[in-house]
Amino acid sequence: FGDPRLDAGNFAAHALLRGLRDGGDAFSAAGPSFLDGYSESGGSLDNLRWFTALCLMRLCAVPFRNLHPDWPLESLAILEAGIAEAGA
């Protein structure tokens, strides 16, 4: 149930989050292939950045829930990535 673009946005958000943690760009490696396959199977990529931003906002609490020692900084980095992705 719900908008299937959440799936693509969630994938992109997790890839961006991995890049934040590892200092790399995981989305550049896997993202284009995933999005091509998603689009070819009929998935819509309209407003993907908005859905990615939404999913990043949903991930802000993960460092806190996982008891990461630097959870305030990690959560702030995820929040800032979400704001940047939304274009705000």
Side-chain angles (χ1 to χ4, degrees):
F1 304 113
D3 196 312
R5 291 175 292 183
L6 277 171
D7 294 331
N10 194 46
F11 173 84
H14 277 87
L16 291 169
L17 180 59
R18 176 177 231 123
L20 285 173
R21 289 186 178 150
D22 299 342
D25 188 0
F27 189 75
S28 289
S33 295
F34 172 80
L35 296 177
D36 286 346
Y38 182 82
S39 180
E40 288 171 7
S41 68
S44 170
L45 297 178
D46 292 341
N47 300 318
L48 178 62
R49 291 191 71 180
W50 187 88
F51 283 96
T52 302
L54 172 66
C55 291
L56 282 166
M57 298 301 173
R58 292 168 59 185
L59 291 172
C60 282
V62 169
F64 175 76
R65 285 195 311 248
N66 292 340
L67 302 174
H68 191 281
D70 292 327
W71 71 264
L73 294 176
E74 287 234 353
S75 293
L76 180 60
I78 297 168
L79 177 65
E80 288 173 343
I83 291 169
E85 193 66 25

